[in-house]
Amino acid sequence: MQFIWFRQDLRIHDHAALWHATQAGPCIALVVISPEQWALHNDAAVKIDFYLRQLQALKTQLKTLNIPLVIRHIPFWKDIPQGVFQLTQQLNINCIHANIELGVNELKRDAQLQKFLEKDNKSLELYHDRTLFPVGSIRNKSHQPYQVFSAFKKNCYERLSVSLPQCYPQIEVQADLQLDSLEDESVCTFAELYPDHPSIKLQDRWPVSEEYALTLLDDFINDKVIHYEKERDFPHLDSTSQLSPYLNLGMISIRQCIQALFRRQHGHFHIEHLGQQTWLDELLWREFYQHILFDFPQVSKHQPFKVDTQKIQWRDAPKDLTAWQQGQTGIPIVDAGMRQLLATGWMHNRVRMITAMFLTKNLLIDWRLGEQWFMQHLIDGDLAANNGGWQWCASTGTDSVPYFRIFNPISQSQKFDTNGDYIRQWVPELAHLDAKAIHEPYAKNLNLALNYPQPIADLKQTRIRAIEAFKSI
Ligand SMILES: Cc1cc2nc3c(=O)[nH]c(=O)nc-3n(C[C@H](O)[C@H](O)[C@H](O)COP(=O)(O)OP(=O)(O)OC[C@H]3O[C@@H](n4cnc5c(N)ncnc54)[C@H](O)[C@@H]3O)c2cc1C
C-alpha cells in the first residue's frame, strides 16, 4: 500500500507525488495538521483558514478517485516522523510519496522520517513539484548556485527553450479499497480552531478549489497578460493574476501556469509580447527565491544573505513600528498598503516594495520585524518569497537593491497612483482630497483639519540617516 502525503500541494491535478504514488499501487492519502507549529512559523490566520477550506475540497476530490484520506493532528513537527511512521505500521504502508518542502525544518523532518522508515524496510520518495526545475539543478559554469537573478533567469530561459516542463497526466480512479474501518479524524474547520476570528469574513474574497484557481489563471492569460507589462505596477488596477495564495498553497502548480502562458504557442517557448515575458520573469523571481532558500539555508534562519549587514544598527522604535503596522504613518501610500494587508490578507507588489523600503530605510527598523508582520498577515505568506522580498528592499539580500537607491514613497505614489484612487480606497479620511494633495496632505498647509496623522518621518533626513547607517558597516 502507498501513502500519498499532501503538504503544501492540496490538489489532484498535475501533482508529482500523487501521480507517482498511483503508478506504484493502491493509495491512501495523508494530511498532517499542526496548528501549534503553524503559530510558531507565524502563519497568518487567513492563510490557515484558506488551507483548511481547501482541505475540505481535497477530501471531496479524493473521494471521486476512491482514495481514502487520513487526517492526523500532530501539534509539533518534531513529533511528525514518529507519528507518521506509526501510521505506516498500522496501515501496512510500504512507501510514502510526497513533494519536497524546502525549509530547513521541513527537510530535517523528512530526513528523520526516512531513517525510521529505512529501519523497517519502507521508503520515503520525494519529488520536485514546487519549482519548475529541481532545486540544486540550476548551476553556473563553476557548478555553483547563482546569486544574481539575471544570470539565473538566462539559464532558466535556455532550459525552457529546450522544452517546457510538462504537466502530469490525469489520475485514474482506483479500485475501492474497502477500508471502512479506516480511522479518519474529520477535517477541523477554522471556526473550531479560532472561534469568531475576523479572517472568517474574508472567505468570500478568497474562494478555494482547484477549479477556481484554474479559472483565475485562464482569465488572466486570456484578458490581462497582454497588458501586464504596462499595468502591473498600478495598485488601483486589477491587473495582476492574484494567484499567489493559490500557488503558495499548491491549489495550482507552477507547470500549469507555464503551460497556460505558452498555450497560444502550442506549448513552445516562444515569447510573443512583453506582457508574456514580464509575467514569465515574475514566475522566475519566485523560482529564484525558492532555489536561494534551498542553496543558502541561512536565509531561513533569520540571517541576512550579505553577512556584513548583520552589523547595521537598526533602530529600536516600537511606536514607529506600531504606526507602520496599523497604517498610521502619515504617508498615505504606505498607510494604504498596510491597511489593504490588514483588510484583505494581500498587498499589491509595488506597495509591498514601498512599505518595506519605508520600514527598513526611512524608519531604519530591522527587516526581520517587517518580514514577521507580513507573514502573520499575508494569505500568500511564503518563506522564500517573503524573505527574498524583504531582503531585496532592505539591501541585505542576494541581488538586492543598492542601499543608496531609496524609494521616495511620495514620488512612488505620484507615479503609480497618480489620481490617488488606491489611497482613496484604503485611507477614506483622505478621500475628499484632490489628486495632488492626496499624496502628501500636509505638504502645503500644516493646519489642514484632517483626521489623519502627520508623517512620522522626515523623508529627506531619514534617507540620509539610512545611507549613513549602511556606509558605516
Ligand atoms: C516585501 C515583499 C514581501 C513579499 N512576500 C511574498 C510572499 O510572502 N509570498 C508571495 O507569494 N510573494 C511575495 N512577494 C512577491 C509579490 O509581491 C507577490 O508574489 C505578488 O504581489 C502576488 O501577486 P500576484 O499573484 O497578482 O502576482 P503576479 O504579478 O500575477 O505574478 C505571478 C506570480 O509570480 C510570483 N511572483 C511575482 N512577483 C514575485 C516576486 N517579486 N518574488 C517572488 N515571486 C513573485 C508569485 O507567485 C505570483 O503569484 C513579496 C514581495 C515583497 C516586495
Side-chain angles (χ1 to χ4, degrees), residues 290-302:
Q290 304 276 340
H291 285 248
I292 290 284
L293 182 66
F294 179 77
D295 285 320
F296 302 94
Q298 72 267 26
V299 299
S300 68
K301 293 185 200 152
H302 311 292

Side-chain angles (χ1 to χ4, degrees), residues 242-437:
Q242 307 228 350
L243 276 169
S244 51
Y246 300 89
L247 264 168
N248 185 39
L249 285 188
M251 276 176 229
I252 196 166
S253 78
I254 187 68
R255 293 175 297 272
Q256 287 171 316
C257 292
I258 280 284
Q259 286 291 341
L261 185 60
F262 290 97
R263 194 181 289 148
R264 287 207 180 147
Q265 291 73 41
H266 308 287
H268 294 296
F269 184 64
H270 180 60
I271 294 173
E272 280 184 358
H273 55 85
L274 270 178
Q276 192 185 19
Q277 177 169 355
T278 312
W279 202 62
L280 171 66
D281 290 352
E282 293 306 323
L283 297 181
L284 292 179
W285 269 106
R286 174 186 178 278
E287 183 86 7
F288 180 57
Y289 288 138
Q290 304 276 340
H291 285 248
I292 290 284
L293 182 66
F294 179 77
D295 285 320
F296 302 94
Q298 72 267 26
V299 299
S300 68
K301 293 185 200 152
H302 311 292
Q303 303 293 318
F305 190 90
K306 289 183 185 148
V307 180
D308 55 345
T309 61
Q310 194 72 284
K311 294 189 227 131
I312 288 176
Q313 297 292 308
W314 302 108
R315 286 170 68 236
D316 177 25
K319 267 194 183 163
D320 287 355
L321 178 62
T322 306
W324 176 83
Q325 290 169 334
Q326 300 305 324
Q328 297 289 345
T329 66
I331 308 288
I333 190 78
V334 172
D335 294 340
M338 298 309 292
R339 293 184 198 186
Q340 181 183 27
L341 175 63
L342 291 178
T344 68
W346 189 86
M347 195 196 297
H348 187 278
N349 180 59
R350 171 59 48 181
V351 194
R352 290 189 206 204
M353 292 197 286
I354 297 170
T355 54
M357 188 84 83
F358 180 75
L359 184 80
T360 54
K361 301 293 170 53
N362 296 99
L363 299 182
L364 200 62
I365 289 178
D366 195 329
W367 57 273
R368 285 162 279 222
L369 295 173
E371 182 194 22
Q372 184 184 38
W373 183 258
F374 268 31
M375 206 62 190
Q376 286 166 343
H377 293 86
L378 279 173
I379 190 166
D380 64 16
D382 167 60
L383 177 58
N386 194 37
N387 184 278
W390 273 96
Q391 295 222 44
W392 187 90
C393 294
S395 308
T396 60
T398 167
D399 203 6
S400 53
V401 65
Y403 69 83
F404 47 83
R405 226 191 94 204
I406 298 178
F407 286 5
N408 178 320
I410 308 292
S411 327
Q412 290 279 314
S413 181
Q414 288 160 340
K415 185 167 176 194
F416 296 112
D417 187 31
T418 312
N419 290 326
D421 296 334
Y422 177 73
I423 296 176
R424 266 184 212 99
Q425 184 181 357
W426 297 109
V427 190
E429 310 90 285
L430 304 179
H432 61 287
L433 297 184
D434 65 31
K436 242 184 176 177

